Amino acid sequence: MSDDRLDANDAVCATSPRLVIEIISLFPEVFTSFLQASLLGKAIASGLIAVERTNPRDFSPGRHRQVDDSPYGGGPGMVLRPDSVAAAIDDAENRRGRAHRLLLSPSGRLFDQKCAADLAARKRIMLICGRYEGVDERIAQLYADQSVSIGDYVLAGGEVAAAVIIEATARLVPGVLGCGESVVEESFSAGRLEFPQWTRPPIFRELGVPEVLLSGNHAEVARWRRREALRRTLLYRPNLIDRYPLTEEERAMLAELEGTA
Ligand code: SAM
């Protein structure tokens, strides 16, 4: 496993990106507009994040640039050959250095906010996108530091999965978001979903805003939000409560929510 995590004393100079993202993909053009838009586009334009794309087809050994072949043992579809994928990885790393390599696969470990935070603390990550029936297993055996899935469904290729991982990771890189606060109090950061939010106008289609949010009492607002975050988590993602047990305060809130206090 690569050990490329930033440590606290790592000086980040203005000319070197804080995070380099290597993408190995047969369809690098899929990322073009995604990498130019909004916060990610700004982070790339300012040099805070760098994204490099390498296409295994450019390293195909055959005259016809074929990158896939039929599976040994038979069966439908085609499998990405290991030689062109390996050559693309080697070329990217020979130019820019060893990255923490993630193979996108529905069979991988489920990607979550903790995983995004781990990746955001690294200097160099690589996202290897599969296509067709997947990638020859020897890439997982010889190259991948980990296999990652973005959910229990099957996409046609790893590009959209890579985009999800890039966006979730990049916004955690210090300096990418305008306000450092915004990643602290949001869904999953403390094992809870985020509390609901309202903005102007105060009445919209006869629906108002909870009184407490208009009270100006910051302590009350903060407690109400923690309670609503708990309510939502219990309703939509009770599995998070098993992973991040209730605090003393939350036990009291749970009793309130159940109407027993
Ligand atoms: N035959 C494979 C299976 O059943 O597990 C599915 C291959 S899928 C059609 C082609 C590629 O899309 C995969 O190699 C992977 O890179 C990507 N992919 C599909 N679903 C994904 C998911 N949920 N998470 C991450 N990558 C995914």
Side-chain angles (χ1 to χ4, degrees), residues 11 120 126 149 178 192:
M126 176 179 282
S149 165
R192 301 289 178 259

Side-chain angles (χ1 to χ4, degrees), residues 56-122:
R57 202 174 291 282
D58 295 337
F59 300 89
S60 168
R63 205 155 46 91
H64 299 293
R65 304 235 154 211
Q66 190 181 342
V67 288
D68 57 344
D69 215 324
S70 44
Y72 280 123
M78 301 292 266
V79 175
L80 259 178
R81 292 169 57 109
D83 42 10
S84 38
V85 175
I89 296 171
D90 290 343
D91 182 75
E93 291 192 346
N94 287 340
R95 288 165 192 267
R96 293 176 289 273
R98 173 75 157 94
H100 180 72
R101 306 172 187 143
L102 291 96
L103 177 65
L104 283 322
S105 164
S107 330
R109 186 194 139 189
L110 216 51
F111 180 73
D112 61 12
Q113 191 68 10
K114 201 161 164 289
C115 188
D118 173 77
L119 297 181
R122 292 177 183 272

